[in-house]
């Protein structure tokens, strides 16, 4: 996705933003809820919300963080360091995923003193008062010219954290599903030739450090690219909702059965990671969402409400995926607000809230079970 500072790009079922990516081949093979109270669950299976800031009419950070607290949102993801936001997060207990700017990756990778300065500016002054969950070195830069800088940047940030006396904060990165080459069926997924030279050592390193890999998962883009081929209910996780009246034809992969695209995308990533030799590496869904407007195929309030409510139920249930049943998936919805300085169209309509802090549609974050 395009997030301004940490530049993002759209991917069918991957990221969203400035430039389009083609839909992965396997994806092509493949009720409006009325409760507005919110409750985000903690620990595994938790639901967080991405705090994007590409707009000129958003509430001030103190008001935004007050919204997170009032709505009992457990986690927030920041795409770049912002000391005003970090100050507002002091003492809240909200878990924070803190990203670096993509344009800082090369410097972070090559210069230990720059990494130390970054930690001294954005982590050390807030450590203890702010609950840092992860630090992400770059966002959706693999494959690409910046990809080779990710692992060295992770190492230098880790060294800087240790020197600053900050412990227990895993350093990782966020990728789009464009890192996959072979991707259908999910069990046969593997990293692409372009991404494998970076991803293989990266996932091995993260596995050894017991740090998760963050993955951006967007069924919406697959559906929008091929609405005649992709079942709407399959993309909306309608098969995972006991309240849905939409019939969904399941997709079989050997002995595994998929009733929604979210699980299939995530298990394709699991398979690729395992083929690269990183058995058991945890995946966190760092972005997922559905636009409520902007003129795109399927971009309606009803579909956005259905998707996000179904994702919340699915993640909070702890059911996991067919490949990893019973392993709850930590998931971050995109995004807190509609952002008016993003590219025109659906990009401006992924928010759960309007800039005036009113809800775009009701979201049932209390849905901890089906």
């Amino acid at each position: 996705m395009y997030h301004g500072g940490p530049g993002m790009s759209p991917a069918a079922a991957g990221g969203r933003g400035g430039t389009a990516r083609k839909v992965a081949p396997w994806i092509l093979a493949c009720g409006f809820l009325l409760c507005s109270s919110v409750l985000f669950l903690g620990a595994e299976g938790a639901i967080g919300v991405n705090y994007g800031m590409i707009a000129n009419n958003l509430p001030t950070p103190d008001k935004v963080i007050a919204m997170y607290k009032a709505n009992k949102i457990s986690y927030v993801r920041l795409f770049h360091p912002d000391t005003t936001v970090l100050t507002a997060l002091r003492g809240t207990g909200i878990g924070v995923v803190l990203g670096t700017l993509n344009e800082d990756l090369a410097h972070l990778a090559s210069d230990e003193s720059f990494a130390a300065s970054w930690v001294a500016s954005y982590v050390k002054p807030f450590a203890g008062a702010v609950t840092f969950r992860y630090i992400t070195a770059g966002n959706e830069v693999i494959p690409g010219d910046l990809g080779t800088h990710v692992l060295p940047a992770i190492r230098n940030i880790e060294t800087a954290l240790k020197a600053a006396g900050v412990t227990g904060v895993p350093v990782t990165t966020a990728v789009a599903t464009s890192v996959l080459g072979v991707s259908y069926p999910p069990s046969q997924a593997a990293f692409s030739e372009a991404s494998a030279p970076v991803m293989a050592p990266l996932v091995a390193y993260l596995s050894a450090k017991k740090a998760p890999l963050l993955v951006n998962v967007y069924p919406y883009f697959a559906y929008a690219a091929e609405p005649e081929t992709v079942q709407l209910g399959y993309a909306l996780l309608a098969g995972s909702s006991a309240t849905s009246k939409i019939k969904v034809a399941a997709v079989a992969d050997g002995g595994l059965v998929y009733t929604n695209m979210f699980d299939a995308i995530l298990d394709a990533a699991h398979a690729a990671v395992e083929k690269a030799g990183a058995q058991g590496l945890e995946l966190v869904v760092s972005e997922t969402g559905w636009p409520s407007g902007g003129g795109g195929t399927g971009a309606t309030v009803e579909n956005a409400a259905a998707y996000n409510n179904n994702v919340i139920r699915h993640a909070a249930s702890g059911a996991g995926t067919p490949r990893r049943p019973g392993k709850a998936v930590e998931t971050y919805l995109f995004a807190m607000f509609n952002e008016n300085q993003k590219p025109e169209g659906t990009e401006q309509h992924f928010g759960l809230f309007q800039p005036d802090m009113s809800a775009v549609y009701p979201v049932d974050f209390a849905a901890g079970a089906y």
Side-chain angles (χ1 to χ4, degrees):
M1 305 210 49
Y2 172 73
H3 298 297
M8 306 280 298
S9 49
R16 321 169 9 241
T19 55
R21 296 176 183 162
K22 65 180 180 181
V23 180
W26 70 267
I27 293 173
L28 301 183
C30 318
F32 191 57
L33 301 176
L34 300 179
C35 177
S36 60
S37 62
V38 294
L39 173 63
F40 287 73
L41 305 182
E44 291 183 343
I47 298 291
V49 179
N50 286 267
Y51 178 7
M53 306 176 196
I54 312 304
N56 60 10
N57 58 353
L58 297 182
T60 56
D62 59 322
K63 292 180 180 178
V64 174
I65 299 308
M67 290 177 67
Y68 275 76
K69 291 171 63 179
N71 291 311
K72 297 182 173 61
I73 301 174
S74 297
Y75 302 146
V76 59
R77 181 179 175 216
L78 304 177
F79 293 98
H80 59 89
D82 185 306
T83 55
T84 304
V85 177
L86 291 169
T87 297
L89 283 162
R90 285 181 177 274
T92 63
I94 295 171
V96 179
V97 180
L98 179 63
T100 72
L101 291 168
N102 283 350
E103 51 263 41
D104 283 343
L105 274 175
H107 207 178
L108 286 165
S110 63
D111 188 344
E112 289 186 0
S113 65
F114 181 75
S117 176
W118 192 93
V119 168
S121 297
Y122 304 121
V123 182
K124 178 64 173 176
F126 303 97
V130 171
T131 306
F132 289 106
R133 190 154 181 80
Y134 316 115
I135 291 172
T136 56
N139 188 47
E140 292 192 341
V141 298
I142 304 169
D145 292 341
L146 292 176
T148 56
H149 299 304
V150 170
L151 186 50
I154 288 174
R155 289 193 176 108
N156 282 347
I157 293 170
E158 287 176 340
T159 298
L161 289 170
K162 183 176 181 180
V166 178
T167 60
V169 183
V171 186
T172 181
T173 193
V175 299
T177 51
S178 55
V179 296
L180 300 177
V182 175
S183 49
Y184 178 77
S187 63
Q188 299 303 308
F191 294 126
S192 69
E193 289 185 8
S195 66
V198 173
M199 290 301 300
L202 173 63
V203 297
Y205 184 84
L206 294 176
S207 182
K209 289 285 186 174
K210 301 190 183 306
L213 175 68
L214 276 57
V215 183
N216 298 338
V217 174
Y218 283 100
Y220 168 72
F221 291 106
Y223 172 74
E226 294 285 344
E228 301 85 5
T229 305
V230 178
Q231 301 175 74
L232 177 60
Y234 188 68
L236 291 175
L237 285 85
S240 299
S241 171
T243 63
S244 176
K245 297 179 180 179
I246 301 176
K247 299 297 183 183
V248 177
V251 175
D253 178 12
L256 303 180
V257 176
Y258 291 89
T259 60
N260 67 79
M261 188 180 291
F262 180 93
D263 282 352
I265 293 171
L266 199 52
D267 274 356
H270 280 137
V273 163
E274 291 165 11
K275 283 185 178 63
Q279 301 294 325
L281 178 65
E282 181 184 357
L283 300 184
V284 170
V285 176
S286 40
E287 292 181 38
T288 194
W290 195 285
S292 61
T297 300
T300 67
V301 168
E302 291 78 12
N303 285 345
Y307 180 79
N308 283 317
N309 280 289
N310 287 340
V311 166
I312 290 165
R313 277 200 176 88
H314 188 48
S317 74
T321 66
R323 194 176 185 91
R324 293 194 181 178
K327 180 67 176 72
V329 180
E330 184 177 331
T331 302
Y332 293 75
L333 299 181
F334 190 90
M336 193 66 170
F337 297 103
N338 285 336
E339 299 169 64
N340 68 352
Q341 291 184 317
K342 286 198 156 194
E344 290 186 7
T346 57
E347 283 295 308
Q348 297 187 3
H349 296 274
F350 273 81
L352 303 177
F353 294 92
Q354 301 286 6
D356 66 3
M357 299 188 288
S358 63
V360 177
Y361 46 82
V363 178
D364 182 9
F365 287 109
Y370 297 159

